[in-house]
Amino acid sequence: MSLLELEGITASYGASQALFGVDLTVDEGEVVALMGRNGMGKSTTINVICRLLKNQSGTARFAGQDLSSYPSYRAARLGLGLVPEGRRCFSSLTVWENLMASARKGEWDLNRVGRLFPRLQERLDQYAGSLSGGEQQMLSIGRALMTNPRILILDEATEGLAPVIRQEIWKAISELKKDTGLSILVVDKTIKELALVADKAVILERGRTVWNGQFQSLDATITDQYLGV
Amino acid sequence: MINERVLNTLIALLLLVVPLFAWQLDEPFIITLATKAAILALAGVGLNLALGYGGLVSFGHATFFGLGGYTMGILASHAQSFTPIMESPFLIDGTKSMPIIWLVAIVISAFVAFIIGLLSLRTTGVYFIMVTLAFGQMLYYFSISWPAYGGEDGLSIYVRNEFPGLNTLDPIQFFGICYVLLMVVIFFMSKLNSSSFGLALNSARQNSERVQTVGISPFRLQLVAFTISGAVTGLAGALFADLNRFISPTMFSWHTSGEIMVFIILGGAARLYGPVAGAAIFILLEHVLGGLSEFWHIFLGAILLLVVLFAKGGLIGSVSKKAASHG
């Protein structure tokens, strides 16, 4: 049984339907890339997984539980660790406070997050609002890890960051994969960097899953058809 | 910019030293003013947890202030008339013991705050303000129309309640009680605010959705904060009633809610000593400006306006940077 399973998910924002049938599975220890052009439903799919948006039909299951009756905070407790788009750190709290506010017991603690992101370790007493974009992104990932999730969900984790910082974050993600065997669902647009970590890929087009398979078997025809501009 | 911890220590010392000097100089009125400031500060410290840290603009904290006051009034009036509060199904006697009165005031206020929170926290923004205001006004009109405990005229308690080992009628001793309680509660609040509960509450004020995605229910956080907040303000109400040896429906009125809010705005919201600084300034202004003119509230209004426009963090916010809770 897969850790995360979406089947035939449809969802709307008010009157406008955004998802028309999304299928997606993430197995234990697997890194899945969720891809597609802008506005194809990637973030909406993540909102449905995290129960920030209710799906109208289809089933969403995590760790064997049907998520439909779960409010957002209880779904998170099952082990969904979201790194939201746009980072959204708590800007008036320090780095230390941001991390402690979300801490739950488990392997991940302040020391381990500090080892993964030494930059955070150096800035524990700095306010999150005064961090650079890359540091805020690291904090956002650290905050999700502090909840000791079973799956890490990264929504556009490297968007708008300097190339050096992007590399640092991708390095951290591949370290996570190698050292912990954490399941990861990652939304991103850069195929080259996803190739470093992803086992599988799911491509969305107009709110529907249109391609689903091993990341290596993604070829130019597919990427041109669904991801090219 | 002064370090916030240093500033807090200064405020705490000042509030202690002034009445001690007054005691040496035999000026009991000043001691009474300081006692009033300490008690109102305590009420503000209670509201600050909900309003400052939790972002819950409660316009009904007079509910708890009044409940604390009436708890004291009801218990003490039965004790002074030697009549039980009720006989069946079991006997409840009045009491003149402060610790028991405090405990009852805290429990009742916490319980009512829990119920009000349960209903009002389903709303946000202006609706939250209105629901909390409505509860306060409900109890206000109830207290006016309840003749058993004085109705509109209020109720006098002739002798101040007792505290083991102390003479509570001596102003400096009663001040000592109030001051120690204030410090104990502030210590508790400082621990609470730097705990993971406090940090999560702070986060929920900024972005409740993000708090949910790390597995925390903002509703529960806010309900707990509102309950503790009400309990502390209730304790302040019981002390305030003891200070005046008098309770009246005014304690429940929305003016009282507004005043408690003013302490926080003057001193600094979400600052540990904000309400203490605010209440002290308020008492000072009331005394100084009140001596000049009956309409001193006009001046208070002008000062409040200036603070809101030019010193958003209140007194504490404008002279000190926020201290980090770690390090």
Side-chain angles (χ1 to χ4, degrees):
Chain A
M1 190 180 58
S2 299
L3 182 62
L4 176 68
E5 268 181 293
L6 301 188
E7 222 181 282
I9 295 289
T10 66
S12 315
Y13 293 104
S16 65
Q17 190 166 355
L19 299 184
F20 294 86
V22 171
D23 303 307
L24 180 161
T25 58
V26 181
D27 286 330
E28 209 73 72
E30 200 174 47
V31 178
V32 176
L34 181 60
M35 304 164 83
R37 293 190 190 96
N38 282 335
M40 292 305 173
K42 304 186 295 289
S43 291
T44 308
T45 303
I46 283 177
N47 284 344
V48 167
I49 297 171
C50 295
R51 309 316 295 163
L52 296 171
L53 181 69
K54 284 203 163 71
N55 54 305
Q56 285 161 322
S57 62
T59 54
R61 302 174 71 80
F62 180 73
Q65 305 286 323
D66 184 353
L67 289 174
S68 59
S69 60
Y70 278 64
S72 181
Y73 75 94
R74 284 189 54 214
R77 283 188 184 188
L78 287 175
L80 294 166
L82 175 66
V83 179
E85 193 176 5
R87 307 183 267 275
R88 314 273 170 84
C89 299
F90 304 122
S91 57
S92 74
L93 299 185
T94 62
V95 169
W96 183 86
E97 290 172 336
N98 261 280
L99 294 173
M100 292 320 284
S102 53
R104 274 207 300 280
K105 278 202 182 75
E107 289 177 15
W108 283 97
D109 56 15
L110 211 56
N111 288 330
R112 200 158 169 204
V113 170
R115 278 204 300 278
L116 185 67
F117 296 118
R119 276 162 179 271
L120 293 183
Q121 185 74 49
E122 293 158 14
R123 290 168 173 75
L124 285 178
D125 288 326
Q126 202 172 321
Y127 284 99
S130 70
L131 296 176
S132 73
E135 287 156 1
Q136 286 192 25
Q137 187 64 62
M138 292 171 193
L139 179 55
S140 187
I141 296 174
R143 182 176 63 187
L145 289 171
M146 288 294 280
T147 68
N148 281 288
R150 296 182 66 180
I151 185 170
L152 190 65
I153 302 173
L154 297 152
D155 194 357
E156 306 271 14
T158 61
E159 197 183 30
L161 297 177
V164 188
I165 308 288
R166 297 170 69 105
Q167 270 177 19
E168 216 170 303
I169 286 173
W170 282 112
K171 206 182 109 215
I173 295 171
S174 33
E175 264 174 46
L176 280 177
K177 182 189 178 184
K178 214 166 52 216
D179 301 345
T180 64
L182 187 66
S183 303
I184 301 176
L185 178 64
V186 51
V187 172
D188 219 290
K189 294 197 193 74
T190 47
I191 297 173
K192 203 177 78 193
E193 284 159 332
L194 284 172
L196 299 172
V197 295
D199 301 309
K200 282 196 325 199
V202 173
I203 300 180
L204 301 186
E205 165 111 331
R206 295 174 201 279
R208 232 181 275 277
T209 300
V210 288
W211 195 88
N212 191 340
Q214 294 300 312
F215 196 88
Q216 287 126 347
S217 51
L218 267 179
D219 56 32
T221 42
I222 299 165
T223 55
D224 283 352
Q225 187 181 350
Y226 297 119
L227 306 172
V229 278
Chain B
M1 287 281 159
I2 312 170
N3 180 306
E4 187 172 344
R5 290 211 178 100
V6 175
L7 183 64
N8 290 349
T9 314
L10 281 177
I11 295 171
L13 281 177
L14 197 67
L15 186 59
L16 180 64
V17 167
V18 169
L20 283 179
F21 264 110
W23 177 50
Q24 286 302 314
L25 300 172
D26 202 21
E27 292 276 1
F29 179 65
I30 297 194
I31 303 177
T32 302
L33 283 185
T35 311
K36 194 175 169 191
I39 294 170
L40 294 181
L42 184 63
V45 167
L47 177 61
N48 200 22
L49 180 65
L51 190 147
Y53 295 97
L56 306 168
V57 184
S58 163
F59 203 22
H61 259 52
T63 310
F64 315 117
F65 198 66
L67 279 171
Y70 272 79
T71 301
M72 175 282 191
I74 291 169
L75 287 172
S77 69
H78 282 277
Q80 77 184 2
S81 64
F82 302 103
T83 49
I85 295 172
M86 66 181 213
E87 281 170 295
S88 64
F90 45 83
L91 182 77
I92 299 181
D93 272 320
T95 176
K96 296 285 282 178
S97 158
M98 280 191 190
I100 296 175
I101 290 171
W102 297 341
L103 197 68
V104 177
I106 288 172
V107 169
I108 290 177
S109 309
F111 176 73
V112 173
F114 179 79
I115 301 294
I116 294 178
L118 215 52
L119 298 166
S120 62
L121 286 169
R122 294 176 195 284
T123 64
T124 53
V126 75
Y127 298 100
F128 180 79
I129 299 175
M130 286 301 129
V131 173
T132 51
L133 173 65
F135 276 106
Q137 290 303 90
M138 244 160 72
L139 283 171
Y140 172 67
Y141 286 108
F142 178 71
S143 64
I144 284 182
S145 57
W146 197 22
Y149 299 103
E152 204 164 359
D153 298 329
L155 181 65
S156 283
I157 303 299
Y158 304 113
V159 181
R160 193 167 282 157
N161 294 307
E162 295 143 8
F163 190 89
L166 293 176
N167 173 14
T168 54
L169 278 169
D170 179 7
I172 195 71
Q173 295 196 32
F174 184 60
F175 169 79
I177 292 173
C178 297
Y179 184 80
V180 168
L181 277 178
L182 176 65
M183 288 300 135
V184 167
V185 171
I186 287 178
F187 177 75
F188 167 76
M189 287 292 176
S190 78
K191 290 287 157 210
L192 191 69
N193 292 330
S194 56
S195 70
S196 54
F197 168 81
L199 295 172
L201 180 69
N202 212 318
S203 316
R205 187 188 70 226
Q206 296 174 52
N207 192 331
S208 102
E209 202 169 74
R210 287 308 147 214
V211 171
Q212 291 190 49
T213 59
V214 294
I216 300 165
S217 157
F219 178 77
R220 287 189 196 177
L221 275 178
Q222 289 167 346
L223 186 58
V224 172
F226 195 77
T227 305
I228 297 174
S229 168
V232 170
T233 303
L235 173 62
L239 290 172
F240 192 73
D242 236 332
L243 173 70
N244 300 324
R245 281 169 278 160
F246 177 70
I247 54 166
S248 78
T250 319
M251 290 186 81
F252 280 118
S253 86
W254 64 282
H255 293 96
T256 306
S257 295
E259 269 180 17
I260 303 173
M261 216 182 261
V262 166
F263 308 149
I264 294 176
I265 297 165
L266 275 179
R271 299 302 186 110
L272 196 57
Y273 274 75
V276 184
I281 295 171
F282 186 88
I283 296 296
L284 205 66
L285 290 175
E286 185 181 38
H287 184 59
V288 175
L289 297 177
L292 297 175
S293 157
E294 212 179 307
F295 305 107
W296 71 281
H297 280 99
I298 296 175
F299 300 108
L300 176 71
I303 291 171
L304 204 58
L305 203 64
L306 290 173
V307 167
V308 172
L309 287 176
F310 300 111
K312 268 198 180 145
L315 176 80
I316 295 197
S318 51
V319 296
S320 96
K321 264 201 163 127
K322 191 170 175 267
S325 59
H326 166 255

